[in-house]
Amino acid sequence: MTAGPDGKDALELHVAMTRIRRFEERCVELYSAGDIRGFMHLCIGEEAVAVGVTAALTPDDAVVSTYREHGHALARGIPMAALLAEMFGRATGCSGGRGGSMHLFDAARRFYGGNAIVAGGIPLAVGLALADSYAARPQVTACLFGDGAFAEGELHESLNLAALWGLPMVFCCENNRYAMGTALARSHAQTDLALRAASYGVRSWSVDGMDARAVRDAARLAVDTARAGGGPCFLELRTYRFRAHSMYDADRYRERAEIEGWRDHDPLGVLVAQLDPDDVAAAEADVADEIDRAVEAARAAPYEPVADLTRHVLAER
Amino acid sequence: MAATTFREAFRAGLREALAADERVFLMGEDVGRYGGCFAVSQGLLEEFGERRVRDTPLSESAFVGAGIGAALGGARPVVEIMTVNFSLLALDQILNNAATLRHMSGGQLAVPLVVRIPTGPGRQLAAQHSHTLEGLYAHIPGLRVLTPATLADARGMLAPALADPDPVLIFEQIALYGASGELPDDAGPVDITGAAVRRPGTDVTLVAYGGSLAPALAAAEQLAADGVSAEVVDLRVLRPLDEQAVLASVTRTHRLVVVDNAWRSGSPSAEIAARVAEHALYELDAPVERVCGVEVPLPYPHHLEEAALPGVADVVAAARRAVG
């Protein structure tokens, strides 16, 4: 099965998703042990979105994300060790330890957070796309956000502004059906999100967000369209989170049967059946090793001295 | 020297910034075709074109956020918010993003954004168009908050604000736009780090900023006629606050009156009084006096608006109490 480009392609996507899945599973243990604190939101079940969207981008493109961004950050290439050190609050973290799980940044990879205000990062993405358009650079900005953002004015203001100015960006709505504990239909009169985005004159598609190849192919179409001057595009990526909203969430608002039903569409399961079991096993071993090394490095990493507390407020002169 | 208005001085600063740096653009509600709600940007669309002078929808959060993102992306945006009360619609972007991104990213990101915000009372614009909310923003670490109250500052604060690697809010007094005076022909960039003594004196310090500078200066004039020498300190920068300038003046005069159009509770005047209490209490020969806005949403009728704000007579009376 692995012979030919499709097989290689499937394996790459599968490995990328496995890294995210196993990393987050370890994060749960580390959270329970007290190594990771604060709010932590897992994307287990949603890995195809992270992997598929980032696969469509070039290194010069920009990414704006949310507080559920471990997967986006890993898929974008932030080293696992820097990411985990950040969650441990260490100075070697990708945000110097100042941000934590919800605020992962990497300027060199044009990863602009890690925004914990629902929809709060979307205007930033509009601005990044505006800067590229203004300077006639060929970059595209991918803006990831959840279905909850549809209830916020900032998304609608941003869709309008991006469409009005024809900005090179892709709105990627990771629709996992729940805004924390409130189902989409309990808070929205119109639940067809692509329809709503299209009403702003933005090209919009609904995509199976549990299928990494489908996400990647749709993202490529959208990114290419935006890059070619076709204006902003919108992708509704229909996905599901298998875990609770955050580590504090008792998850009482969903039927167990619903969660189990979605497991049939597990993005890792979708691809694994098509792969050589030896390749999959080898990938699992590599990932486990990478995680072990990241944990070890995070534990050994220094904390920022308290004397530095007031740094990074204004530029240092 | 040439006679000019504050409106023209602000416009001259904008025109110079647009001409000097291709990365600079202006965006906001009605800044282009309309010429600016208060006519500050009149003529700039015609001069610089649609790319550099951009009309936005009435989406304060989106266009301020877009300014932040554009600044992250290497541009030098100047964003105008039509009035200070509307800026609250963008408070999320200003506080949670502009002021915070450098810190949350561990110093990786900078937001060299300038936001211009017309502010202040005096035009009978009632309770949703004329408050003095500068102090609200001065509460927020990560911002630089400027309050130009002279023609030179109106003309000269924008260039250094654009050169600053951090987000800068410039609060322009609506009531001053039409006021005129003399501005040197070679007026240019000014300092944006410190306060300024606008009138030297020896008997009492009057601290003011933005819309309260004019009544403070008028009061100093009246006091002088009665033999009381008042020193007027214009804060100019509410954050980071130039505490030393205030302490130095109080150390000279030993008496302090703070004049502030904002509501007394939690206002910049409270911060000034607290700093003096912390660092110069024993320099004081009299209790600190504060002359502030009355704690009421600004009413529409002229006589009530006037009564809600520090007047010259109020400042004079406070200074007299202070000097005994």
Side-chain angles (χ1 to χ4, degrees):
Chain A
M1 287 297 283
T2 54
D6 279 359
K8 180 171 177 291
D9 190 54
L11 182 62
E12 276 178 13
L13 292 169
H14 185 77
V15 171
M17 290 194 290
T18 302
R19 278 182 83 228
I20 297 169
R21 175 73 56 92
R22 303 296 173 241
F23 174 78
E24 288 206 318
E25 286 169 349
R26 182 68 71 86
C27 286
V28 174
E29 294 170 23
L30 295 166
Y31 195 93
S32 304
D35 292 311
I36 300 171
R37 306 298 295 266
F39 280 138
M40 183 171 83
H41 308 83
L42 304 175
C43 70
I44 288 175
E46 304 179 23
E47 295 91 342
V49 171
V51 165
V53 168
T54 51
L57 303 174
T58 72
D60 290 336
D61 292 333
V63 178
V64 175
S65 181
T66 68
Y67 50 85
R68 196 182 305 285
E69 90 282 36
H70 304 161
H72 307 153
L74 279 173
R76 184 58 178 168
I78 301 183
M80 191 182 284
L83 211 152
L84 196 63
E86 184 60 36
M87 294 162 72
F88 274 51
R90 308 294 171 121
T92 54
C94 62
S95 306
R98 294 288 177 124
S101 164
M102 299 191 288
H103 304 302
L104 306 173
F105 287 86
D106 188 335
R109 290 177 177 82
R110 302 202 74 209
F111 191 87
Y112 294 98
N115 202 302
I117 307 295
V118 172
I122 303 173
L124 291 191
V126 172
L128 285 160
L130 172 59
D132 286 333
S133 157
Y134 184 80
R137 292 187 296 251
Q139 284 101 306
V140 170
T141 298
C143 181
L144 292 132
F145 52 91
D147 47 289
F150 258 89
E152 298 280 3
E154 285 185 318
L155 172 61
H156 299 273
E157 293 184 8
S158 296
L159 281 164
N160 178 54
L161 194 55
L164 183 72
W165 288 349
L167 299 179
M169 66 180 290
V170 180
F171 292 85
C172 304
C173 179
E174 191 162 336
N175 178 8
N176 67 15
R177 299 170 168 253
Y178 290 87
M180 204 159 105
T182 302
L184 195 64
R186 287 176 61 82
S187 52
H188 290 266
Q190 172 55 268
T191 57
D192 184 338
L193 303 183
L195 178 71
R196 292 167 72 182
S199 76
Y200 292 98
V202 173
R203 289 195 206 189
S204 303
W205 294 274
S206 280
V207 182
D208 178 359
M210 304 302 268
D211 180 339
R213 281 181 295 200
V215 174
R216 183 206 49 201
D217 293 347
R220 279 183 181 158
L221 176 61
V223 168
D224 291 349
T225 301
R227 201 186 308 282
C233 296
F234 173 89
L235 299 175
E236 181 203 13
L237 306 163
R238 296 185 173 186
T239 185
Y240 198 78
R241 73 175 148 72
F242 294 146
R243 299 280 186 147
H245 165 74
S246 76
M247 301 304 287
Y248 288 97
D249 171 12
D251 209 347
R252 296 196 187 96
Y253 46 84
R254 306 190 289 189
E255 299 295 334
R256 296 305 100 182
E258 178 185 297
I259 301 172
E260 291 311 312
W262 275 90
R263 288 196 190 279
D264 294 342
H265 306 283
D266 186 329
L268 272 71
V270 167
L271 286 180
V272 77
Q274 303 170 34
L275 299 174
D276 183 330
D278 290 344
D279 289 343
V280 172
E284 289 281 4
D286 288 348
V287 167
D289 187 49
E290 184 186 12
I291 295 170
D292 286 343
R293 280 182 282 117
V295 173
E296 205 174 310
R299 277 199 208 293
Y303 287 109
E304 198 178 2
V306 172
D308 286 354
L309 174 64
T310 56
R311 291 187 67 198
H312 310 312
V313 176
L314 295 175
E316 286 162 13
R317 285 154 193 275
Chain B
M1 299 285 271
T4 187
T5 62
F6 276 75
R7 176 180 292 110
E8 289 161 349
F10 282 118
R11 186 186 304 141
L14 278 169
R15 179 181 288 120
E16 180 186 67
L18 285 161
D21 186 347
E22 169 69 19
R23 297 172 304 169
V24 174
F25 63 85
L26 171 68
M27 68 174 162
E29 295 152 341
D30 278 317
V31 298
R33 189 68 61 85
Y34 188 94
C37 179
F38 298 102
V40 171
S41 53
Q42 206 154 57
L44 296 183
L45 172 66
E46 292 73 12
E47 188 174 345
F48 293 97
E50 302 265 359
R51 179 169 165 268
R52 311 285 307 282
V53 180
R54 310 175 76 98
D55 282 318
T56 66
L58 310 188
S59 304
E60 288 82 0
S61 200
F63 69 71
V64 171
I68 296 165
L72 288 173
R76 289 292 179 275
V78 179
V79 174
E80 176 179 315
I81 301 177
M82 199 177 271
T83 84
V84 71
N85 287 75
F86 302 176
S87 75
L88 302 179
L89 292 160
L91 187 55
D92 166 49
Q93 289 298 326
I94 294 171
L95 200 168
N96 286 321
N97 283 335
T100 310
L101 282 165
R102 176 186 291 282
H103 179 260
M104 285 195 301
S105 67
Q108 291 178 82
L109 301 181
V111 182
L113 166 74
V114 174
V115 185
R116 298 175 39 241
I117 309 178
T119 186
R123 298 265 302 259
Q124 286 191 255
L125 298 177
Q128 292 181 335
H129 278 72
S130 40
H131 286 138
T132 297
L133 304 180
E134 291 88 315
L136 208 150
Y137 292 97
H139 182 61
I140 303 169
L143 302 178
R144 188 176 293 278
V145 178
L146 308 182
T147 57
T150 65
L151 282 166
D153 282 353
R155 170 69 181 78
M157 278 184 162
L158 181 61
L162 279 164
D164 195 289
D166 291 302
V168 180
L169 309 186
I170 303 180
F171 288 92
E172 305 178 0
Q173 290 296 320
I174 293 170
L176 287 181
Y177 277 136
S180 61
E182 296 286 320
L183 188 64
D185 296 330
D186 62 351
V190 296
D191 162 78
I192 56 166
T193 63
V197 174
R198 296 301 182 196
R199 178 186 176 116
T202 53
D203 297 333
V204 58
T205 294
L206 310 182
V207 170
Y209 68 92
S212 65
L213 180 62
L217 285 169
E221 192 68 33
Q222 280 194 19
L223 288 162
D226 293 345
V228 175
S229 169
E231 177 151 297
V232 179
V233 176
D234 174 6
L235 291 174
R236 301 180 69 246
V237 186
L238 292 185
R239 173 175 279 277
L241 188 64
D242 182 5
E243 172 185 286
Q244 290 307 321
V246 175
L247 299 178
S249 179
V250 168
T251 302
R252 285 191 290 273
T253 66
H254 308 291
R255 293 172 175 86
L256 174 64
V257 177
V258 192
V259 191
D260 191 343
N261 283 343
W263 298 302
R264 177 182 300 260
S265 305
S267 63
S269 76
E271 185 63 31
I272 294 295
R275 300 278 182 117
V276 169
E278 285 169 338
H279 302 297
L281 184 65
Y282 299 114
E283 294 292 340
L284 289 173
D285 288 344
V288 172
E289 293 277 348
R290 286 198 286 157
V291 186
C292 298
V294 176
E295 307 226 4
V296 60
L298 270 188
Y300 161 69
H302 178 64
H303 70 294
L304 291 182
E305 183 183 41
E306 201 171 55
L309 295 166
V312 177
D314 304 319
V315 181
V316 168
R320 285 193 188 293
R321 282 194 299 274
V323 297

